[in-house]
Amino acid sequence: MSTTAEAVVVGAGVIGASTALELARSGLRVTVVDRFGGAGNGSTSASSAVVRFTYPTVEGVTAAWESRHCWEAWRDHLGAPAGEPLASYIRCGVALLDVDFAPRALFTRHFDAVGVPYEEWDADELAARLPAVDTGRYWPPRPVDDDAFFADASGRLGALHTPDGGFVGDPQLAAANLAAAARRHGAAFLWNTRVTEVVRKGGRVRGVRLHDGTELSAPVVVNAAGPWSGRLNQLAGVGADFTVGLRPLRQEVHHVAAPPGYHGGGRRDGAEAEAGAEGRGGAGSETRVGPVIADMDLGTYLRPEGRDFLLVGGTEPECDPLEWLDDPDDARPAPTASRFRAQVTRAARRLPGLRVPGRPRGVAGVYDVSDDWAPIYDRTGLDGFYVAIGTSGNQFKNAPLVGRLMATLVHGVEGGHDHDSHPLTHTCEHTGRDIGLGAFSRRRRLSETTGTVLG
Ligand SMILES: Cc1cc2nc3c(=O)[nH]c(=O)nc-3n(C[C@H](O)[C@H](O)[C@H](O)COP(=O)(O)OP(=O)(O)OC[C@H]3O[C@@H](n4cnc5c(N)ncnc54)[C@H](O)[C@@H]3O)c2cc1C
């Protein structure tokens, strides 16, 4: 059996669903294929969905700042009818605690250029704004079983605060919202369907074959397979000209009770109240939640989950072994006691009121990590085969823009533009800024990077 489309997107995570929306919006007949039963059931479902602007490249900052405008106006972005339940954006602010290897200037020079508002807090200001936080400097992160972990602070630290940062309340719903919007523009979704072959002929992609033998013909195929992207590239026979490698990495995010005082008590600006557009904590809500705290000094990050809980993740401190996987399907889904204790004990060092429960609670997910922790949004050596991959645990926030970048790329290249020699530029709708897509090339010189999930 054979069917046809003008573009096939493999993967209906937040990146694939956004790509499908923008390709369909631009007039293409799009079919999306996903091995799971609905949108956002892959790594997107485990995402902490933090929206921060602290990237070490100007393209990274621009992408995150533009995307934040999309999250703030999510219903408009989607063209969703009133009444459709939507993911909400919680604008609680992000405090990036000081750390020498990622000094504030690495980010503020780009914030100044792009127009991202920020505040620089010294230790006294951090203590005044967030009284629940211990302002001690503990660098370098250490295993929690090491006595040195409990050594006294070597000094005090401040923070770089971006009041417009926050998180998306329900990442899986956000992907489903994008899929529903794509459907309104005519995109078709094939659920519980696996791509087992990329069909190619004479240096050009011809479509994909599905696990039941059906051939789906299309002149354009986009790999948005998340941590499975390397496997799909192998099926397509692409990768030889990539300078950037990819590996799946298992990660855990833990769920604990928020400590007393985390949400308030400090000095705040009027604008810092929670400002989700709709849904939980949404319009009219007086509820305030504490900020996202990114703490590379101790190797952890955390964000509120409702009023009562926190999500706690890790920033790949060198003292912790990383769980690289050959196959993303090998990832154990349940949180482990050792990782839980390590991450939550670090968070408790920063928030002394936090209790470390005996029983682990949380989720495990898989990052699609590139060598420089930056994504690849590009064409490949196989004409018609595109990639939106290598999202490295930090691209949920950029998904609304990524769909648009991919549409610019597909239309430019299919229209005859030599993107490899003269990289295309995308002009952002909200900020009016240009993003050079060469920054996301598969053949780039590895970019400046923190070597962590920060990008
Ligand atoms: C634990 C964790 C925390 C994170 N926290 C943040 C954060 O705070 N902020 C942030 O910005 N980002 C964060 N991220 C990163 C972000 O969530 C991901 O970059 C993003 O969700 C990736 O989306 P995706 O669509 O590329 O991948 P996925 O959501 O994994 O989707 C890929 C889809 O492809 C499908 N697929 C794969 N192979 C095939 C095939 N052969 N046939 C058919 N279907 C196939 C899968 O079924 C899957 O649904 C985090 C990620 C994790 C895992």
Side-chain angles (χ1 to χ4, degrees):
M1 204 181 102
S2 171
T3 56
T4 59
E6 289 171 326
V8 167
V9 178
V10 184
V14 74
I15 298 290
S18 178
T19 300
L21 169 59
E22 300 303 339
L23 290 178
R25 214 175 230 163
S26 71
L28 297 186
R29 204 152 32 81
V30 177
T31 298
V32 185
V33 185
D34 200 290
R35 63 201 285 245
F36 295 133
N41 285 350
S43 62
T44 296
S45 65
S47 186
S48 304
V50 168
V51 176
R52 61 169 168 86
F53 315 114
T54 40
Y55 283 87
T57 62
V58 71
E59 293 83 4
V61 173
T62 306
W65 184 237
E66 170 71 13
S67 295
R68 163 261 170 186
H69 290 76
C70 305
W71 292 117
E72 290 256 22
W74 195 226
R75 194 173 291 281
D76 289 347
H77 179 82
L78 301 165
E84 180 176 322
L86 301 184
S88 54
Y89 182 57
I90 315 298
R91 179 183 172 275
C92 58
V94 176
L96 174 71
L97 304 191
D98 291 338
V99 66
D100 286 346
F101 86 92
R104 294 178 194 177
L106 184 64
F107 311 110
T108 54
R109 63 192 167 135
H110 300 316
F111 289 176
D112 291 335
V114 173
V116 179
Y118 64 92
E119 296 162 1
E120 297 194 62
W121 294 350
D122 61 16
D124 288 342
E125 186 70 17
L126 175 59
R129 300 289 194 124
L130 308 176
V133 163
D134 172 343
T135 59
R137 181 185 295 275
Y138 297 105
W139 181 265
R142 299 177 201 277
V144 295
D145 294 325
D146 185 336
D147 285 345
F149 176 80
F150 294 98
D152 290 342
S154 61
R156 297 178 76 210
L157 43 72
L160 177 61
H161 182 246
T162 41
D164 294 295
F167 64 96
V168 175
D170 185 337
Q172 199 169 349
L173 179 59
N177 293 156
L178 288 161
R183 227 178 272 115
R184 281 193 289 277
H185 288 275
F189 285 78
L190 303 179
W191 302 122
N192 301 308
T193 305
R194 210 155 27 87
V195 169
T196 53
E197 185 185 335
V198 175
V199 183
R200 39 185 300 165
K201 193 171 173 197
R204 183 153 190 112
V205 76
R206 292 288 169 210
V208 296
R209 195 176 309 284
L210 309 179
H211 70 274
D212 64 359
T214 305
E215 186 173 325
L216 191 49
S217 303
V220 167
V221 173
V222 181
N223 177 354
W228 297 269
S229 66
R231 198 191 283 172
L232 195 68
N233 279 350
Q234 276 175 4
L235 290 179
V238 302
D241 66 346
F242 282 44
T243 56
V244 189
L246 296 164
R247 276 166 95 187
L249 176 70
R250 182 179 178 279
Q251 269 294 3
E252 296 185 14
V253 175
H254 302 120
H255 200 242
V256 291
Y262 165 70
H263 294 299
R267 205 164 69 226
R268 298 179 73 110
D269 293 337
E272 283 178 45
E274 179 174 334
E278 324 186 24
R280 187 179 56 209
S285 166
E286 293 303 315
T287 316
R288 283 175 167 185
V289 289
V292 175
I293 298 177
D295 181 6
M296 288 196 291
D297 181 67
L298 280 164
T300 187
Y301 72 87
L302 55 91
R303 71 133 166 105
E305 176 74 340
R307 282 285 297 173
D308 297 333
F309 296 98
L310 297 180
L311 294 188
V312 178
T315 60
E316 295 78 47
E318 271 182 23
C319 63
D320 283 3
L322 295 179
E323 280 190 75
W324 297 107
L325 303 169
D326 290 327
D327 182 345
D329 290 332
D330 292 341
R332 287 163 299 155
T336 54
S338 58
R339 290 229 162 237
F340 179 84
R341 202 164 68 80
Q343 289 188 173
V344 178
T345 304
R346 289 191 179 114
R349 189 93 223 244
R350 189 58 70 201
L351 295 175
L354 190 121
R355 283 189 45 247
V356 184
R359 186 184 302 175
R361 220 176 132 197
V363 295
V366 183
Y367 293 173
D368 182 27
V369 177
S370 74
D371 289 341
D372 59 1
W373 293 75
I376 307 175
Y377 303 133
D378 201 0
R379 58 162 298 156
T380 63
L382 175 62
D383 288 342
F385 190 80
Y386 296 82
V387 290
I389 62 177
T391 56
S392 303
N394 63 50
Q395 290 293 301
F396 174 88
K397 67 183 70 58
N398 290 341
L401 177 69
V402 172
R404 294 179 171 178
L405 300 183
M406 294 309 292
T408 295
L409 186 65
V410 166
H411 286 288
V413 172
E414 296 304 307
H417 187 88
D418 182 355
H419 177 63
D420 282 341
S421 305
H422 304 285
L424 288 154
T425 295
H426 176 86
T427 303
C428 296
E429 179 198 359
H430 297 282
T431 57
R433 294 194 60 85
D434 286 343
I435 296 193
L437 298 190
F440 308 115
S441 165
R442 72 199 185 282
R443 308 198 307 183
R444 62 182 174 246
R445 276 188 34 227
L446 293 190
S447 39
E448 292 172 65
T449 174
T450 63
T452 72
V453 71
L454 216 59

